[in-house]
Structures are given as structure tokens and as C-alpha cells.
Amino acid sequence: MSASFRPDIEGLRALAVSGVVAFHFGLSDLPGGFTGVDIFFVISGYLITGQLLREIAEDGRLDLWRFYARRARRLLPASLFVIFATLVAGYFILSPDEQSLYSKGAMFASAYAINFWLIRWSFDYFAPDAANNPFIHFWSLSVEEQFYFVWPGLLLLAAWLRPGKRTAILVIGLTGAVSFAVCAWLTTVAQPWAFYFSPLRAWEFAAGGLATMAPAKFWRERPQLGAALAWLGLALIAGAYLTFSEQDTPFPGFAAVVPVAGTVLLLLSGSGNVQRGPSAMLALPPMQWVGKLSYSLYLWHWPVIVYATMMVPDLSWPGRLACAALTLALSLFTYNFIENPIRRNGWLMANAARALIPAAMLTGAGVVATYANARLAVDGLDPSQRIIAETAAQPSTARAKVGCVVDYETVTPKACEFGAKNAERSIALFGDSHADHWSTPLIEAAKRNDYKVVTWLKAACRASRLTVWSSKLKRDYTECDQWREQSIKEIIALRPSLVVISEISLTSSRKLSPDARQSESLDQDWQGGLRATLEAFSQAGLKVAFIRDVPFNTLFVDTCVARALWRGQTPSVCDAPRTDAANDAMAAVERDIVRAVPNATYIDMTDRFCDAKTCHVFIDGKLAYRDRHHMATPFAQTLEPTVERALFSTGAAGK
């Protein structure tokens, strides 16, 4: 063991990985365990900056090949092994379309670039559920690897400008300050960029880098101060673990300062080699053992729990403990037979080329193999699987027209016209994506009756006058409020024959984001907001038809049905009890509100989805949903006669 080995840092790794694993395994008492990744970032900045600065000071240069060879031996073999093992296991668990999709994720993970893929994915409202992606945790490894490529150049620049610690502090500090400022700003306006984009996490590495500049002698001579700061650092990390929430805490931004500062304080305290207080706790044998396994534990824990919950959606605590045991067993195997032997291999350590050439070949092989798997998984696909994939991918009539369902950030409405050309009469369709999926049958019915349809649609923005918390934006969805009010004005100015409204039910939105910030008066606020929207149109002399929301499914229907067929089961295994899916109690409240408003009609088509006991996902030979709560477009087309009867045969649309 190196004389410079810091047992407190090994213990910090254990603390970090324990938080992440506990969070992902569903330990609700640690809702902020995800901040363990930030601890890893600070540790990396601390160790790598110190190592590089020492080499520059001693040799006047950096041997970058040797540096990258060490990183390759340390990280690459274990990560590629886990990637390939995860793909193999996925063959028996995932549907072919999922295998293809996640193989693309594995390809980006193999190249340490999956964070960029996830940024694009995060802004797609209809993207597959991230919780099902067995490679999503590789984002942090991608950020670290990108840091390793850029950071040595930054330190060489500092040395070239003016050798010495002061210049290095200035360059690292300035880089960190700019990174933090942009990160804090983007956390409030485009959170996925702040979360996944490596330059916006650079400030966390910089914090660790600045910590390595502090003189160890200062802390050695002040053990009591060091112990006090260590306790404060531990308290900050514990506070983040216990009080932060993935849903309620805008992250990273200012909130990330808490675990970052806590880690810096613990690193500073431990730099004086004073083993007391938290430093002594972190040096305990169990912490050292977990810290030693931390990389392998991090790699394995996520695919294990993801695949387990796919196979057993209501995984019990004994089941989760079994998953923890499996994770530990796989980690021990990986550490003892892959990670450590290759990292310490004398032949590979002899010179950089012996490590880098195989590393480049392995990386290339990983990218090629995962790309090939993505293609092969859907090559010669069974017709039923292909139909499901194509059905889920088919956009609604409105969404197929670019820009007609505006995104989260847009506040200016975009009205799109469909239906009968040159029609004198019009129908306005207004609401969120749950209004959008009615656009397909509504537009077809309007054509048959010589109406045009004009749409005002915005992702996740309900028609009811209600300010909601956006789990995606991690803040109040104020853009929705602005868009809604302007849309209402434009619809009233159009004077359509009928305004058709639909939106995700309040019960479904709670199921969709169970941890989202909720006010105690949300039910009353929603009722008042729905009434206010309906009355705005009614008082303007417009007729309104409110379409009840579709049932909500616990599982992603397209993947559930595809997996069922892949395993030789029937689609009915994905059906849900009506008591769970249909939201009947909330619909009754909604119906009373609508019927109390003059010129307003309530339209309920739930019986097309459910019988008295069960809500079905495969109806008349068609997939009913594209995900958990949006209708699949081919099935929506079959509802055109039902929509026509409800709106035109009854006279709801006027004459």
C-alpha cells in the first residue's frame, strides 16, 4: 500500500457509494442518497489535481500517456465487463425493441459519452422511462472520464502561464466559478443540461482540486480545528442524504454545494493525517472494505435493481435485500478477478503503450459490439413485436406536425389548423398531451362533418388554471401559466363552434410523480382552476366539451406487452384492475364541476377501455397505449365513430 494512502478517502468512497445504492434500492430514509455521486466528483478532483500538480512540480511536465494508461487500467476493464454482462442478461428480460434501444445506451456508455445521449433523451417528453435504462448510471463515469481528458491540459496551461501554486489556484478557481454560475442558472431553466453536461459539473472537481492546495501542515498543527470541521463536513453530507429529494430539490445548482462542501471539509481535515473523529470512523475496517469495492458496487447495483423490478414490479424488501446480496457477490467477483488484477498487472504497468493500445482496442470493440447488438436485436423481428414498436412510435395527428405540441420552455402559443379545408365552422382543441392524443379521432370526425380543428397544445400543461410543480424542470411550471392565459385569449378571439378540453387527471399526475411537491390545497385549487377555465369560455358564449382522461397504467404498456409476447405470454397479463386504473372517484368530482357550468358537456369514453372490473391494454387487436397514460395512435383512430357520436350526433358542436 502506498505511503500516501488516505484511509479516510477510502471511507469517503464507501460513504458515497452507500448513499447511491441505498437511494436506488428504495431506502426512503435516505431520499438524498443520489448526492453520493457528488462526493465521488470532489474526491476525483482532489486526487487527480494533487497527482498532476506534484508531477508538474517535480518533472516540469506531465506524462499524459502514463496518466491515461493508469486511468484505463483502473476503469475500463470492469466497466466493459458490466456492460456486456448487462446486455446478455437483457436478452432474457427485455423485449427486442428495448434491447435495441438500451444497446445504443451501452454504445455511448462504452465510449464514455452517455451523458450527452441522456441530455437529448431528457428533453423528449415521450422518451422511454429513464428508470428502465440499465446503463443510465454510466453518466457519472462519462463525466469523470471527460474531466480526465480536459483537466491535465488546464493545469498545464496554468503552469505555462506562470509556474506555481498561485496561478494554479487562480485558473482552477476561475474555471470552477464560471462552471458553478452557469450550472446554478441552468438548474432553474434547463435542469438536464446542468445535471449531465460535464463542463457544468467541473466546479465540483475544481472544489476538490482547490482543497489539495491547502497545506497539510496547517491541519496537522490544529487537530481540534480539523476534527471540528470534519464533524461539520459529515453533518453536511448527512443533511443532504436525509433532506434532499430527487423530486423536490432543484439539483445540482446551489443545493449541490452542501455535499460538495461537506466532502471538501472532510478531505481537508484528513490531509493532516489526524485520525480522530469522522476521519477515524471513515478508517474503520468495514468502511475500508466497502470503499475498496466502491467502483464495482457502483457499476453493478443499478442493472441488478432495474432488472429485478422489471421482473417483479412490486419487489418486496426481502427481494431488495437479495438484490443487494447479488450486487455484493458480483462486485467481489469483478474486483478480485477483473478490476484489481488488471489494474496491478506488472506487464501492463511496464509502459503506457501496453495499457493504452489494448484499452483503445477494447473501447472500439465495445462500441462496435453494442452497435451491432442494437441492430441485431430487431433484425428479423417477429411481426407482432414490430407492430407494437411501430404503434408506440406513431405520433398523433397533431404531434406529427412539427411544433404543434409546444415544449416546456415555450410560452407563446402556436395554433395549428387541421380538418376540412375552407370550413366555415371550427373546433378548438386545448390542453396538454392528453388533449393531443384525442386529436387523431377528433380531426377525422371534424372532416366528416365539414369542420376544421385548431389546436392549442403544450407538453404537461393542463387546461385548468392551476400552477403546478414540474418534476422535469424541478420548479413551478410558470411557462404553462403564461401559455395557458394567452391561449385562452386566442381561442375566445377565434369564436369556435366548440372548445374541446382534455387533460391528465389529478389522480394520474400524482401516480406519475408520486414524490412531486404537492400543496395541501391542491384538490381545491384544481377544482377552482378547472371551473375558472370552463367559465372563461362559457362566459364568452362558447360551448365546451370536456373529455374524461383515459385510465392510468402502472406499467409502460408497450414494453409490458412486448415483453409478454417475447416470453410467450398473452397481453392480458398487463391489464389493470379498474379500481387502480380508472380514477372513477376523481372523475365523479370532475363531472359535477363540468355539468355545473353553462354550455359545458362532460364526455366519458372509459367504457371503451374498461369493463366493470378490468381496464385492458390490448383492445380489438390493437395496443391501446403508447406508454402508461397516452393512447396509441392506431387505437385512437378506432375511436373516431365514438368521438363523432359524442360531439356531432348529440349537437355538442352546434349547427
Side-chain angles (χ1 to χ4, degrees):
M1 185 175 293
S2 169
S4 61
F5 174 75
R6 290 266 303 270
D8 61 308
I9 293 180
E10 198 76 275
L12 262 176
R13 289 193 179 103
L15 187 63
V17 79
S18 298
V20 173
V21 172
F23 171 72
H24 285 149
F25 274 52
L27 185 60
S28 58
D29 289 338
L30 288 179
F34 62 89
T35 60
V37 171
D38 302 86
I39 298 175
F40 279 125
F41 287 165
V42 178
I43 292 173
S44 291
Y46 183 85
L47 294 175
I48 297 302
T49 303
Q51 173 190 324
L52 295 175
L53 287 178
R54 282 192 297 272
E55 187 174 340
I56 292 173
E58 293 169 4
D59 302 338
R61 64 183 185 87
L62 278 180
D63 187 341
L64 293 178
W65 296 119
R66 186 175 66 176
F67 170 74
Y68 290 126
R70 287 196 299 266
R71 296 295 90 205
R73 293 197 314 271
R74 173 76 173 89
L75 301 175
L76 189 62
S79 66
L80 285 178
F81 175 70
V82 173
I83 286 171
F84 288 132
T86 302
L87 287 175
V88 171
Y91 175 82
F92 301 97
I93 299 170
L94 303 170
S95 70
D97 200 52
E98 288 178 293
Q99 293 175 43
S100 178
L101 173 65
Y102 296 134
S103 290
K104 295 173 185 175
M107 180 181 69
F108 283 99
S110 299
Y112 290 101
I114 195 173
N115 55 322
F116 297 110
W117 189 59
L118 292 171
I119 289 172
R120 180 182 62 81
W121 197 355
S122 296
F123 285 101
D124 182 358
Y125 180 71
F126 292 97
D129 184 21
N132 283 333
N133 185 341
F135 300 102
I136 193 172
H137 64 312
F138 275 86
W139 77 267
S140 63
L141 303 179
S142 297
V143 168
E144 285 215 26
E145 193 67 20
Q146 291 155 26
F147 161 74
Y148 297 144
F149 274 107
V150 173
W151 207 248
L154 189 71
L155 298 183
L156 283 172
L157 172 64
W160 177 76
L161 289 172
R162 186 174 182 178
K165 186 179 289 187
R166 288 185 179 181
T167 306
I169 291 173
L170 180 63
V171 170
I172 294 173
L174 182 61
T175 300
V178 172
S179 170
F180 175 74
V182 179
C183 176
W185 170 62
L186 279 178
T187 297
T188 64
V189 296
Q191 190 263 351
W193 277 100
F195 194 91
Y196 291 121
F197 193 41
S198 48
L200 304 186
R201 290 299 191 115
W203 67 272
E204 300 186 48
F205 296 96
L210 290 174
T212 202
M213 309 284 189
K217 181 181 177 181
F218 177 87
W219 303 102
R220 248 190 327 265
E221 293 174 350
R222 297 166 177 81
Q224 292 182 336
L225 175 61
L229 290 180
W231 281 115
L232 176 59
L234 190 62
L236 289 173
I237 292 174
Y241 277 14
L242 294 169
T243 63
F244 285 10
S245 163
E246 191 178 37
Q247 297 292 339
D248 292 343
T249 307
F251 202 85
F254 288 101
V257 172
V258 176
V260 167
T263 307
V264 167
L265 290 175
L266 283 165
L267 289 170
L268 289 174
S269 173
S271 66
N273 291 320
V274 180
Q275 297 301 312
R276 62 171 63 186
S279 294
M281 293 168 55
L282 293 172
L284 291 172
M287 299 295 285
Q288 298 299 291
W289 188 71
V290 174
K292 180 177 64 175
L293 294 174
S294 60
Y295 181 52
S296 290
L297 284 168
Y298 185 81
L299 289 174
W300 278 116
H301 83 282
W302 183 245
V304 167
I305 194 64
V306 165
Y307 282 162
T309 51
M310 284 181 182
M311 292 185 289
V312 186
D314 297 322
L315 192 64
S316 63
W317 269 110
R320 292 177 185 273
L321 290 175
C323 289
L326 177 59
T327 299
L328 183 59
L330 291 169
S331 301
L332 283 167
F333 174 84
T334 305
Y335 178 80
N336 288 307
F337 294 100
I338 297 174
E339 179 186 343
N340 211 39
I342 295 176
R343 179 186 180 189
R344 304 296 186 190
N345 184 275
W347 187 85
L348 292 174
M349 294 172 67
N351 63 65
R354 290 186 182 182
L356 289 175
I357 292 174
M361 294 174 64
L362 278 173
T363 299
V367 171
V368 170
T370 50
Y371 176 77
N373 194 64
R375 300 295 297 270
L376 290 172
V378 292
D379 186 53
L381 196 62
D382 181 88
S384 61
Q385 293 284 347
R386 189 174 301 281
I387 290 171
I388 291 169
E390 291 173 352
T391 296
Q394 185 175 336
S396 68
T397 304
R399 193 158 56 89
K401 191 172 181 179
V402 176
C404 289
V405 181
V406 300
D407 58 24
Y408 282 83
E409 288 75 24
T410 301
V411 297
T412 303
K414 180 177 180 178
C416 294
E417 288 192 11
F418 302 88
K421 294 182 179 179
N422 304 317
E424 295 181 359
R425 297 172 297 181
S426 64
I427 294 174
L429 178 61
F430 175 45
D432 55 17
S433 59
H434 284 233
D436 163 55
H437 64 196
W438 289 107
S439 67
T440 298
L442 175 62
I443 289 168
E444 188 59 34
K447 284 181 182 178
R448 291 176 179 274
N449 290 271
D450 198 30
Y451 281 78
K452 66 181 177 181
V453 175
V454 187
T455 63
W456 280 264
L457 303 167
K458 181 174 173 64
C461 183
R462 59 176 65 248
S464 300
R465 281 171 158 160
L466 173 68
T467 299
V468 296
W469 172 265
S470 170
S471 296
K472 188 173 283 286
L473 299 174
K474 308 295 183 186
R475 57 176 172 81
D476 284 344
Y477 193 7
T478 55
E479 292 90 342
C480 174
D481 296 339
Q482 298 175 56
W483 174 88
R484 182 193 302 116
E485 293 308 311
Q486 184 60 36
S487 295
I488 290 173
K489 291 179 182 178
E490 291 184 10
I491 293 170
I492 292 174
L494 177 68
R495 309 298 302 173
S497 300
L498 177 69
V499 181
V500 176
I501 294 174
S502 192
E503 63 183 21
I504 187 171
S505 76
L506 195 61
T507 304
S508 292
S509 63
R510 283 173 170 150
K511 293 175 183 176
L512 191 63
S513 302
D515 298 326
R517 184 176 296 172
Q518 307 277 1
S519 67
E520 293 183 0
S521 61
L522 183 60
D523 282 50
Q524 289 74 26
D525 292 343
W526 163 72
Q527 293 175 33
L530 174 58
R531 190 177 295 107
T533 295
L534 295 171
E535 288 176 346
F537 294 123
S538 178
Q539 291 170 5
L542 299 179
K543 290 186 175 183
V544 183
F546 189 98
I547 302 178
R548 176 180 172 178
D549 191 20
V550 298
F552 183 92
N553 300 277
T554 303
L555 302 173
F556 276 69
V557 170
D558 55 328
T559 56
C560 180
V561 172
R563 287 179 200 161
L565 295 176
W566 180 246
R567 298 168 188 167
Q569 301 170 308
T570 63
S572 61
V573 300
C574 303
D575 290 346
R578 179 168 180 141
T579 53
D580 294 339
N583 305 319
D584 286 325
M586 183 64 72
V589 175
E590 191 175 67
R591 181 177 58 249
D592 291 343
I593 292 172
V594 174
R595 289 178 175 175
V597 176
N599 298 323
T601 303
Y602 191 75
I603 297 174
D604 188 345
M605 301 185 210
T606 307
D607 288 346
R608 291 289 281 114
F609 299 85
C610 310
D611 55 34
K613 294 183 178 181
T614 305
C615 290
H616 305 282
V617 298
F618 212 72
I619 303 171
D620 297 333
K622 291 185 180 294
L623 187 72
Y625 300 87
R626 57 168 291 124
D627 48 29
R628 285 188 285 178
H629 52 98
H630 293 102
M631 274 193 294
T633 297
F635 174 73
Q637 291 170 339
T638 69
L639 298 180
E640 185 272 328
T642 308
V643 171
E644 186 171 11
R645 284 194 300 272
L647 296 181
F648 298 97
S649 299
T650 63
K655 300 293 185 182

